[in-house]
Amino acid sequence: MKKIIIVDDSAVLRTTIANALDSVGYEVLTTANGSKELFTYLKNNQKPDVILLDMFFPQESGLDILENIKLYYPTIKVLVITAMNKQSLNKEIMSKGADDILYKPFDMDDLTLTLQKLFL
């Protein structure tokens, strides 16, 4: 079973995505606190196949979180989920090591297809 960690400060979005992915057979963990809770999971061997990572948090930058994930856990794939579709940000996201970007709002079919591509 593929494991996914959702890192987003929106409780509604986390729950919606978690329920949808759980219903199609993924093991899902969620975190609201950005890097603190995420890196606690990772240090305790809760290593996922994919991290779904938002870019904007009240206390820190998703770009910094992405950079640290790829620095310390380079084999974990990161799918950035963001509402901000700007070419300059997209280039920076990809240069920091994201494996793909999905723009909010998205439907669950788009999410599952993107995840399937990442698992190939």
Side-chain angles (χ1 to χ4, degrees):
M1 178 181 295
K2 299 290 186 182
K3 185 186 295 186
I4 297 171
I5 295 179
I6 303 166
V7 186
D8 195 297
D9 58 340
S10 167
V12 171
L13 187 61
R14 282 192 320 273
T15 301
T16 301
I17 293 172
N19 290 340
L21 293 178
D22 184 61
S23 74
V24 294
Y26 291 105
E27 179 182 346
V28 182
L29 297 169
T30 65
T31 174
N33 297 331
S35 64
K36 182 178 179 185
E37 196 172 352
L38 171 64
F39 284 102
T40 299
Y41 279 145
L42 297 176
K43 288 174 186 169
N44 291 322
N45 288 320
Q46 294 292 328
K47 293 191 181 58
D49 298 287
V50 174
I51 296 171
L52 271 60
L53 177 65
D54 190 16
M55 278 291 99
F56 300 100
F57 295 90
Q59 303 300 321
E60 61 188 321
S61 162
L63 286 170
D64 292 338
I65 298 170
L66 172 60
E67 194 168 35
N68 284 322
I69 293 167
K70 288 304 185 171
L71 178 64
Y72 297 108
Y73 303 94
T75 60
I76 297 175
K77 296 186 185 264
V78 179
L79 172 58
V80 169
I81 52 175
T82 183
M84 187 70 67
N85 187 355
K86 287 189 173 179
Q87 188 172 9
S88 60
L89 179 61
N90 296 347
K91 285 181 181 178
E92 191 167 7
I93 289 169
M94 296 309 286
S95 73
K96 300 278 187 194
D99 294 281
D100 209 339
I101 304 171
L102 194 58
Y103 300 102
K104 299 174 188 175
F106 52 84
D107 64 38
M108 290 305 135
D109 288 340
D110 289 338
L111 176 58
T112 55
L113 286 172
T114 303
L115 287 170
Q116 287 171 0
K117 285 190 324 187
L118 291 177
F119 292 134
L120 292 178

